[in-house]
C-alpha cells in the first residue's frame, strides 16, 4: 500500500463498480449500464478485444508449431493448467500459467483460471442447462448445507432474460427437472444417440437423452446482428475466440453492449485488493486497486459494488476486506465466509462400441453433444448416497484411418470411404455436498506479487462422491450392456477437484445471517450495497453447468439494486 495515488475522490467516483469482467461481471456491467448507471469494471488481466485479439482463430492445424499439442517443457512447468482439456496450443494464451499466480493447495486442487477481458467466458464449453426446484429444494429436502432463500420461480424470468440475449440453442424437452427455456433451433442428436434415447424410452422410461442446450446462435440472426454477432458456423474452434460471435462470451456480447450505452468505463491490469468499508456510513464505499504494472494503489468509489471475480477469487477479496467492524472479512459475522465450498464430480466416464446402425454415419461438426439429465434420487431418495449426477452422452462414427502402402496404394487406402463402428461415450457430472471443512482461506504467510495473501484451498471428495461414482459406473454399464454396446470400458481418473471448473460457494446465500453470507438478492446480509453474483453465492451445486445461473443471478441482482438505490 506504499504508493498511494491520491486523485480527487470525484475523479474516481462511479455509480457502480463491478469487480471482474468475466461471465457474471459482464452481465452485471451490461445491466447496470443499460439502467443508466455510470459503471466501472475492474479487470486484473490484460485487454482482449473481440476478434482482433483472437490470434489463432483462423489458423489451420498445420500452422501451429506443434499441431495443437502443448510441448513437454510447458507441461512440466504447468502441471495444473496442463490437466485442463482445453489447454492446447490454440488457446493457451487465455489461461493463467501455474507460476504466474500461485496458490496454496492444502489438498490437491487444480485451479483453472483465465485473467483477461471476458475471463473464462472465452474458454467455456457453453453448456447451459437451467436449474429446477429439484435443485433449489435439494438442501432442505436432503438435510445438508442451508435452505436456498429462493426457488425456481424467482429465477425463471431472469433465465429467460439471459437466454434471449446470449442465444441458447435447445429443444423443448418438457422435463420437470430440467426446465425448458427461450431456445433457438436445436442441434441434432446423431443416429447412435437417437438409438440410445429410444432404447431408454422403452426400457428405462424415466431416463432420457436430450441434446445439450448450449450458448450458440442458431437462428434469429437479425436480433443478434444488433450485438455484432452472427450464426454459429459449427467450426468447433470456440476456445480460440469466435470472430462470428457464434457462441456467447462477455467479449463478443455483454461488454460491447454495455460500452454502447456510454456508461461503461473499464480498467485493465487493475487488481482489486479489497473492498473499503466505511464504519460511520455503515456501508461499503469503494475498492482498493493495485495497478498490476506499476504496483500503484488507487481507490475507486461507488454506491454499489458487484463482486464477480469468479468464485474463489471473490472469496479471497471478501476475506481480505477487513476492518474493525469486519475483522474476519467483509460481511463475515457468521464465520461461514470461505466455507461450504463445493464443486462438480467429473471423475468417472465410460466408453463403448456399437456394431449396429451400419446404414448411418456422422458427418460435420457440432458444438455440443447429448445430455443425460439426472435420474437418481430426483423424486425421492432411492440410493445410499445423497443427490445425483447428470452425464454427457455422445455417439459418433468416423472413417477408418488407413495409411497402408505407398504411392497409389496409400492414396487409395487413405481415400477409401470406410467407417468404423459407432463409438459411444459418457462422462459423469456429479453434485458434491458443501461441507464446513471444505474451505478456502488466506494463507497467513504467503503473498502474491502484489502483496495480497495467497489463497489456501482445502477441498476433497468424500464417501458420498465415491458411492456416486460407483453408482454411475454400474448404472451406465448396465444400460450400455442392455443396449447392445460392446467393448465397454469404465474409468475413474481420480482427478483432483477443480478440473470441472465449477467451483462454487464460500459466500453462500441463505435466509439466516447467522449461517450465510448473502441474502435472497445476493446482497451481503450485513453490507447490503455489496452484491456477489458469481459462483461464490451458490448454496449447493446440483448437477447442471452453473454459468447460466450466475448470469441470471447477476441480472436479477442488478434489477433489485437499481430499484432499491437510495
Ligand atoms: C474449458 C472450460 C470449459 C467450461 N465449460 C463450461 C460450460 O460448459 N458451462 C458452464 O456453465 N461453465 C463452464 N465453464 C466455467 C465457466 O467458464 C465459469 O463458470 C464462468 O466463466 C464463471 O464466471 P465468473 O464471472 O464467475 O468468472 P470468470 O469468467 O473467470 O471471470 C472472472 C474475472 O475476474 C477477474 N478477476 C479475478 N480476480 C480479480 C481481482 N482481484 N481484481 C480484478 N479482477 C479480478 C479475472 O481476471 C476474470 O476476468 C468452463 C470453463 C472452462 C475454463
Amino acid at each position: 500500500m506504499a504508493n498511494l495515488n491520491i486523485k480527487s475522490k470525484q475523479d474516481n467516483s462511479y455509480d457502480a463498480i463491478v469487480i471482474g469482467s468475466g461471465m457474471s461481471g459482464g452481465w452485471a456491467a451490461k445491466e447496470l449500464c443499460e439502467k443508466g448507471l455510470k459503471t466501472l469494471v475492474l479487470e486484473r488481466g490484460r485487454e482482449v478485444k473481440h476478434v482482433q485479439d483472437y490470434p489463432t482463430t483462423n489458423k489451420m492445424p498445420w500452422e501451429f508449431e506443434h499441431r495443437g499439442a502443448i510441448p513437454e517443457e510447458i507441461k512440466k512447468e504447468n502441471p495444473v493448467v496442463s490437466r485442463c482439456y482445453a489447454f492446447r496450443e490454440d488457446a493457451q494464451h487465455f489461461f493463467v500459467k501455474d507460476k504466474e499466480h500461485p496458490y496454496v493447495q492444502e489438498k490437491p486442487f487444480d485451479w483453472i483460471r483465465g485473467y483477461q477481458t471476458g475471463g473464462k467466458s472465452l474458454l467455456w464449453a457453453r453448456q447451459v442447462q437451467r436449474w429446477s426446484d429439484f435443485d433449489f429444494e435439494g438442501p432442505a429436502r436432503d438435510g445438508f448445507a442451508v435452505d436456498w432463500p429462493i426457488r425456481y420461480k424467482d429465477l425463471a424470468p431472469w433465465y429467460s432474460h439471459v437466454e434471449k440475449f446470449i442465444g441458447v440453442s435447445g429443444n423443448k424437452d418438457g422435463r420437470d427437472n430440467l426446465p425448458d427455456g427461450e431456445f433457438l433451433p436445436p442441434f441434432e442428436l446423431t443416429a447412435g444417440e437417437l438409438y440410445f434415447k429410444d432404447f431408454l424410452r422403452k426400457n428405462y422410461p424415466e431416463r432420457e437423452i436430450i441434446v445439450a442446450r448450449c450458448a450458440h446462435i442458431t437462428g434469429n440472426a437479425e436480433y443478434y446482428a444488433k450485438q455484432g454477432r452472427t450464426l454459429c458456423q459449427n467450426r468447433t474452434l470456440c476456445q480460440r475466440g469466435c470472430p462470428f460471435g457464434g457462441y456467447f462470451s462477455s467479449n463478443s456480447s455483454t461488454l460491447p453492449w454495455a460500452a454502447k450505452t456510454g456508461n461503461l468505463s473499464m480498467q485493465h491490469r487493475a487488481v482489486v485488493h479489497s473492498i473499503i468499508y466505511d464504519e460511520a456510513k455503515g456501508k461499503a464505499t469503494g475498492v482498493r486497486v493495485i495497478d498490476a504494472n506499476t504496483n500503484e494503489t488507487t481507490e475507486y468509489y461507488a454506491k454499489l459494488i458487484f463482486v464477480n471475480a469468479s468464485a474463489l477469487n471473490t472469496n479471497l477479496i471478501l476475506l481480505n476486506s477487513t476492518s474493525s467492524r469486519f475483522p474476519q472479512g467483509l460481511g463475515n459475522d457468521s464465520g461461514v465466509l470461505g466455507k461450504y465450498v463445493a464443486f462438480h464430480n467429473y471423475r468417472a466416464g465410460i466408453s463403448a462400441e456399437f456394431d449396429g446402425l451400419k446404414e448411418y454415419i456422422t458427418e460435420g461438426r457440432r458444438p455440443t453433444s447429448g445430455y443425460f439429465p439426472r435420474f437418481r434420487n430426483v423424486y425421492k431418495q432411492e440410493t445410499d448416497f445423497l443427490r445425483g449426477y447428470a452425464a454427457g452422452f455422445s455417439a459418433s462414427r468416423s472413417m477408418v484411418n488407413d495409411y497402408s502402402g505407398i504411392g497409389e496404394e496409400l492414396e487409395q487406402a487413405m481415400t477409401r470411404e470406410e467407417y468404423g463402428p459407432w463409438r459411444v461415450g459418457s462422462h459423469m457430472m456429479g453434485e458434491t455436498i458443501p461441507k464446513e471443512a471444505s474451505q478456502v482461506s488466506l494463507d497467513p504467510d504467503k503473498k502474491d506479487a502484489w502483496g495480497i495473501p495467497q489463497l489456501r484451498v482445502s477441498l476433497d471428495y468424500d464417501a458420498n462422491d465415491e458411492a456416486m461414482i460407483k453408482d454411475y459406473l454400474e448404472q451406465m454399464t448396465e444400460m450400455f450392456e442392455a443396449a447392445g454396446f460392446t467393448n465397454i470400458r469404465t474409468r475413474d481418473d481420480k482427478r483432483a477437484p477443480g478440473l470441472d471448473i465449477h467451483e462454487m460457494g464460500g459466500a453462500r446465500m441463505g435466509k439466516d445471517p447467522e449461517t450465510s453470507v448473502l441474502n435472497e438478492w445476493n446482497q451481503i446480509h450485513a453490507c447490503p450495497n455489496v452484491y456477489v453474483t458469481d459462483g461464490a453465492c451458490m448454496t449447493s451445486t446440483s448437477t447442471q453447468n452453473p454459468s447460466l445461473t450466475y448470469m441470471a443471478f447477476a441480472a436479477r441482482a442488478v434489477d433489485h439494486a437499481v430499484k432499491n438505490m437510495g
Side-chain angles (χ1 to χ4, degrees), residues 15 50 97 156 175 183 237 321 377 421 427-428 448 450 452 510:
D15 296 324
H50 180 48
K97 309 301 172 302
R175 295 192 60 84
F183 295 149
L237 302 174
S321 301
N377 301 327
H427 67 275
M428 126 186 228
D448 70 9
W450 301 276
I452 299 173

Side-chain angles (χ1 to χ4, degrees), residues 184-249:
L184 300 170
F187 288 96
E188 283 177 12
L189 291 173
T190 65
E193 290 158 359
L194 285 169
Y195 164 79
F196 192 55
K197 182 183 172 85
D198 192 49
F199 162 82
L200 291 177
R201 192 174 51 77
K202 291 178 186 142
N203 298 281
Y204 296 83
E206 75 288 6
R207 303 183 186 183
E208 191 183 11
I209 297 293
I210 63 168
V211 68
R213 295 129 187 205
C214 62
H216 284 255
I217 299 175
T218 53
N220 205 0
E222 261 172 50
Y223 173 80
Y224 295 99
K226 290 185 209 136
Q227 292 178 37
R229 301 170 60 200
T230 190
L231 299 182
C232 169
Q233 310 288 307
N234 291 337
R235 300 185 335 144
T236 60
L237 302 174
C238 316
Q239 68 285 353
R240 301 179 183 183
C242 179
F244 300 94
Y247 76 91
F248 169 81
S249 67

Side-chain angles (χ1 to χ4, degrees), residues 131-174:
W131 277 39
S132 73
D133 274 337
F134 294 97
D135 309 302
F136 288 112
E137 287 172 4
R141 187 192 85 173
D142 291 345
F144 64 95
V146 289
D147 189 12
W148 277 88
I150 63 153
R151 289 293 182 264
Y152 176 67
K153 67 173 173 22
D154 300 305
L155 212 50
W158 298 101
Y159 276 135
S160 293
H161 181 69
V162 169
E163 284 164 344
K164 277 185 212 152
F165 192 80
I166 67 177
V168 172
S169 145
N171 188 46
K172 295 220 185 247
D173 299 295

Side-chain angles (χ1 to χ4, degrees), residues 65-66 69-82 87 89 92 97-99:
E65 199 181 339
H66 306 96
I70 296 285
E72 281 308 309
E73 67 270 27
I74 298 186
K75 278 194 197 163
K76 243 188 249 157
E77 271 174 37
N78 296 281
V80 169
V81 66
S82 294
F87 184 71
E89 204 175 15
Q92 57 177 326
K97 309 301 172 302
D98 293 11
K99 285 198 182 125

Side-chain angles (χ1 to χ4, degrees), residues 19-25 42-45 84-86 95 112 114-116 118-121 123-127 270-272 308-311 313 317 501-502 534-535 545-548 550:
I19 304 172
S21 69
M23 192 98 66
S24 63
L42 294 164
E43 168 52 56
R44 71 176 301 154
C84 175
Y85 73 93
F95 285 90
I112 306 301
Y115 289 173
Q116 62 250 326
K120 299 191 291 288
S121 76
L123 291 166
W124 69 319
R126 311 152 315 276
Q127 300 289 298
V271 184
V272 171
N308 296 91
S310 79
N313 272 317
I317 291 168
I501 326 179
H502 293 167
D534 61 14
N545 320 69
S547 306
L548 179 72
Y550 307 163

Side-chain angles (χ1 to χ4, degrees), residues 396-412:
S396 64
R397 230 183 137 196
S398 49
M399 292 234 276
V400 174
N401 292 323
D402 183 358
Y403 301 114
S404 54
I406 51 168
E408 205 173 311
E409 199 186 332
L410 173 63
E411 192 185 326
Q412 274 175 9

